[in-house]
Amino acid sequence: MAENEGRITIHMAASLDGYIAREDGSVDWMETADEYAAGEELDADYVSRFLEGIDCYLMGSGTYLTALDFEKRGLGWAYGDKPVLVLTSRALKRSRESVTFHSEDLQGLLKQLRGRYANIWVAGGGKLAGNLPVLIGKGISFFEGLDKDVALHLLESRAYRSGMVALRYAVAR
């Protein structure tokens, strides 16, 4: 990576079958009481140190509205005072000074950001994130024809040097 070239990281929560929200935009599926006993604790110090390394956030309008809804529900504003750039063509209400709206071409905006920020965090948004990495876009679904929610319990996770991740689940009872 060149000295003035910022790193772009995509961060999003997705269901095992690859969905980031329901068809109506709801993310209620993320609210679960399930627990993975072998999982690491996300204590406040770790989260604070992790977030310090992020220089700015880039998101689409749907993610921005979801973040505002989380804040309205008492869950706080996850982005602190860091710059939050919302890529949108919609007229949205600005919630704080750190939020700006952008309607220009994504690649042009990223070029500008990479010159100003070392660690750019794409915080969700299927349309936005879909324009960044190499993905196949269409194909055969692993869970073809699934017509209802299936609650799962994580039994094991393994990350490999190749970047592949193995997840083992059981159907929650």
Side-chain angles (χ1 to χ4, degrees):
M1 179 165 58
E3 192 173 313
N4 64 347
E5 187 175 300
R7 179 180 53 207
I8 299 169
T9 302
I10 298 174
H11 171 81
M12 66 176 54
S15 63
L16 185 60
D17 52 352
Y19 294 99
I20 62 170
R22 296 189 189 281
E23 289 180 335
D24 67 358
S26 169
V27 292
D28 64 317
W29 58 272
M30 287 195 284
E31 298 172 18
T32 176
D34 193 33
E35 183 178 301
Y36 176 50
E40 294 184 37
E41 280 293 326
L42 286 175
D43 64 60
D45 289 338
Y46 170 83
V47 172
S48 179
R49 284 190 311 274
F50 174 79
L51 294 176
E52 283 175 15
I54 298 171
D55 296 320
C56 75
Y57 296 92
L58 176 62
M59 64 183 65
S61 59
T63 301
Y64 174 67
L65 293 173
T66 298
L68 290 179
D69 182 58
F70 284 168
E71 184 178 35
K72 187 171 85 176
R73 292 173 43 206
L75 299 173
W77 177 253
Y79 312 102
D81 293 331
K82 302 283 176 91
V84 174
L85 298 93
V86 181
L87 191 62
T88 184
S89 58
R90 300 169 17 178
L92 298 172
K93 184 179 177 187
R94 191 168 146 183
S95 63
R96 54 191 24 87
E97 288 294 315
S98 60
V99 174
T100 56
F101 300 106
H102 302 267
S103 60
E104 63 261 32
D105 169 66
L106 174 61
Q107 297 306 320
L109 178 59
L110 287 173
K111 188 175 183 179
Q112 292 174 38
L113 295 177
R114 289 181 110 173
R116 293 190 342 218
Y117 300 107
N119 194 357
I120 303 156
W121 201 260
V122 178
K127 290 178 187 172
L128 176 63
N131 287 301
L132 296 173
V134 175
L135 301 170
I136 65 171
K138 290 186 180 185
I140 300 170
S141 173
F142 192 78
F143 297 100
E144 191 70 37
L146 190 63
D147 63 352
K148 63 180 180 175
D149 288 5
V150 177
L152 300 174
H153 173 73
L154 181 62
L155 298 173
E156 178 184 13
S157 68
R158 296 183 84 164
Y160 298 96
R161 288 187 180 131
S162 67
M164 300 297 280
V165 179
L167 304 172
R168 190 166 65 97
Y169 286 91
V171 174
R173 304 241 184 267

